[in-house]
Amino acid sequence: MNPLHRPGDSPVHRLPAQVKIVGALAFVLCVVATDRTAYWAFGAYLAVLAAVWVVAAIPPGWMAKRALIETPFVVLALAAPFLGGGPETEVLGVSVSVSGLLAGWNIVAKGTIGVLASLTLAATTTPRDLVVGLQRLRTPSVVVTIATLMLRYLEVIVAEARRMRLARISRGHDPRFLWQVGATARGIGTLFLSSYERGERVHLAMVSRGYAGALPDTGGPARPLSWLSGLVPAATAAVVLVGTL
Amino acid sequence: MPATLAMHMSDGLLDAPASVLFLVIGGVGVLLALVRARGALDDRTAPMAGLVAAFIFAVQMLNFPVLPGVSGHLLGGALAAILVGPWVGALCIAIVLVVQALVFADGGLSALGANVTNLALIGTAVGFLVALGLRGLVRKGRGGLVATAFVAAFASTVVASLGFVAEYAIGGDPAFDLGTIATTVVGVHCLIGIGEGIITALTVGAIAAVRPDLVYLLRGERRPLEVSA
């Protein structure tokens, strides 16, 4: 279900999830706070991420392929130089707005590094561990329960939707453009009902196996050494950020 | 590859102070939803909320064309509000967004607060308030319920996109004319809102026809059967 996770046994993979979540968030906030004209800083952030990939044994090409989910924002950024106002400059013989050019660069640079940081987190941590990490960060138990069961049910629902679609198509349904909306929506209604009724059965099964309202906490506290080593990328980013001021 | 416009905001669209501001606003809003939803979430309904969240997640994977080359996906705010109520609905969508950002790298980590504010808080609240305002229509029967769901979903999508415009006005790049941004974003979301409205309406209609007890908006509406001699 999760094509973003890359199983491994590197120090980055073994780091407790709560450390990685805090580290990734702090890192991204540093990137977003950086002045967009401090061009070298973005190179430094990329170098920090590349160092993490080396430790985690993730090939850069593997990352690049998955970073394509950011494409819509790159399209937006490429349009920016033509939409911005103010003084203009010439790039390759085309007159573009200076502030628009900078704004486009800002979105591409920060968006790309942000998505790469998120991908690094997702690649080195299983979905289950991410939820455990949230649990260790004192997330309320109801939220942990909902998130855990959501991840478990997601696969079931997506598989069920795929079977329903196959069943429709094998009965001669040929959905195109807008006309598929009716069948899709009715399918969603049926999907909700069948998943809900399955959920009711699963709940009874959970209760009969001793479920009393809270999921067990399977994580452990992170050692100070884990925190120290895990926050090195974020700390480096903070140093770079201070250096740009 | 068609450009997808209705997706979660990435990092870099808002500056750092605005990102942190909305992380706080989103966090406080989710906490409020959590407190208000707590009474409704027991050992049976909390796992079911997980199922509703998974359902919203799966439905958000559904893309539909709005313009040639531009597709939008369902946001699900009104759908969640109508099915499970505003508090549990907001909580579910917020959890979906957090998991999408952490597990699927969809939506920037620094933009998480803004995404939660728009989709989980504004989207659900507007969807529910509109549906509540049209209660008279809901009482008229299935057609009324379907019409209400359409209007609620449309309004929720458009107002959620206004949330983005407000965030951009606070922490976005001043290089762009805010009017242009507002027109483009709200315009596209009006089209997405129509798709969202149709799918929400038909979905709610299909569920209400079979299990009206699962539609939060219909609670207390059905009078018990009177048995007369």
Side-chain angles (χ1 to χ4, degrees):
Chain A
M1 181 60 222
N2 182 16
L4 297 183
H5 182 241
R6 189 181 157 88
D9 191 33
S10 73
V12 185
H13 285 83
R14 283 198 302 268
L15 214 55
Q18 61 266 38
V19 177
K20 285 188 268 190
I21 294 173
V22 171
L25 185 63
F27 179 84
V28 172
L29 282 177
C30 286
V31 172
V32 171
T34 309
D35 182 38
R36 60 194 185 183
T37 52
Y39 304 109
W40 64 271
F42 296 101
Y45 295 139
L46 201 59
V48 171
L49 286 178
V52 176
W53 299 340
V54 169
V55 177
I58 302 173
W62 190 91
M63 273 290 164
K65 228 183 282 166
R66 281 152 187 85
L68 286 177
I69 50 172
E70 206 224 351
T71 311
F73 288 97
V74 176
V75 173
L76 179 74
L78 287 179
F82 305 100
L83 299 174
E88 306 223 319
T89 185
E90 288 225 339
V91 176
L92 303 173
V94 184
S95 165
V96 292
S97 144
V98 175
S99 59
L101 202 60
L102 278 176
W105 154 252
N106 190 46
I107 294 173
V108 170
K110 293 180 182 175
T112 307
I113 293 177
V115 89
L116 288 175
S118 300
L119 283 172
T120 309
L121 175 65
T124 57
T125 323
T126 63
R128 173 75 195 123
D129 282 344
L130 282 168
V131 175
V132 171
L134 289 178
Q135 195 170 15
R136 301 303 312 182
L137 292 170
R138 297 182 196 285
T139 308
S141 67
V142 176
V143 174
V144 173
T145 303
I146 296 179
T148 307
L149 288 165
M150 187 192 98
L151 282 171
R152 299 234 173 131
Y153 279 128
L154 187 60
E155 216 167 318
V156 175
I157 291 182
V158 170
E160 176 112 20
R162 202 176 296 133
R163 285 193 296 276
M164 283 167 59
R165 190 176 152 271
L166 268 181
R168 272 207 320 270
I169 291 174
S170 59
R171 281 161 182 75
H173 187 234
D174 182 20
R176 294 269 169 83
F177 196 58
L178 285 177
W179 321 125
Q180 58 186 310
V181 78
T184 306
R186 259 169 239 120
I188 296 176
T190 315
L191 185 63
F192 181 79
L193 289 172
S194 63
S195 339
Y196 203 95
E197 281 162 3
R198 182 196 294 259
E200 288 172 333
R201 292 194 299 275
V202 170
H203 170 252
L204 287 179
M206 282 161 67
V207 170
S208 62
R209 283 162 181 76
Y211 174 72
L215 295 172
D217 182 352
T218 53
R223 284 172 297 129
L225 191 66
S226 306
W227 279 108
L228 270 181
S229 55
L231 292 182
V232 165
T236 316
V239 170
V240 171
L241 174 64
V242 171
T244 63
L245 298 179
Chain B
M1 192 181 115
T4 311
L5 270 182
M7 65 182 289
H8 310 324
M9 291 161 71
S10 72
D11 296 303
L13 286 176
L14 299 181
D15 61 18
S19 301
V20 173
L21 172 71
F22 282 101
L23 276 173
V24 172
I25 292 179
V28 169
V30 171
L31 221 59
L32 178 71
L34 187 64
V35 169
R36 296 299 305 262
R38 192 150 255 175
L41 293 172
D42 52 26
D43 75 300
R44 192 186 77 84
T45 43
M48 297 316 285
L51 200 142
V52 171
F55 175 73
I56 298 283
F57 198 135
V59 164
Q60 283 199 356
M61 292 175 178
L62 194 82
N63 282 283
F64 51 85
V66 282
L67 287 173
V70 179
S71 64
H73 69 67
L74 211 67
L75 309 178
L79 186 62
I82 292 174
L83 289 182
V84 291
W87 306 114
V88 179
L91 196 60
C92 286
I93 297 200
I95 292 171
V96 167
L97 292 169
V98 170
V99 170
Q100 278 173 340
L102 288 179
V103 179
F104 295 89
D106 184 6
L109 286 176
S110 71
L112 190 55
N115 282 325
V116 165
T117 308
N118 293 342
L119 301 176
L121 303 182
I122 300 179
T124 315
V126 170
F128 189 71
L129 289 175
V130 170
L132 212 57
L134 295 173
R135 257 205 125 124
L137 200 58
V138 174
R139 290 204 184 94
K140 290 218 164 75
R142 184 148 176 267
L145 175 69
V146 169
T148 302
F150 177 84
V151 176
F154 179 80
S156 119
T157 309
V158 174
V159 179
S161 77
L162 282 174
F164 168 75
V165 174
E167 279 145 21
Y168 201 86
I170 295 172
D173 201 299
F176 306 112
D177 178 36
L178 200 62
T180 321
I181 297 241
T183 326
T184 318
V185 170
V186 175
V188 169
H189 279 83
C190 280
L191 295 174
I192 293 173
I194 295 174
E196 171 112 12
I198 294 173
I199 294 180
T200 304
L202 291 175
T203 306
V204 171
I207 295 170
V210 184
R211 293 268 315 250
D213 59 311
L214 296 185
V215 181
Y216 182 90
L217 199 63
L218 291 179
R219 280 201 197 153
E221 292 289 332
R222 301 282 156 123
R223 279 185 220 104
L225 274 179
E226 279 178 39
V227 183
S228 51

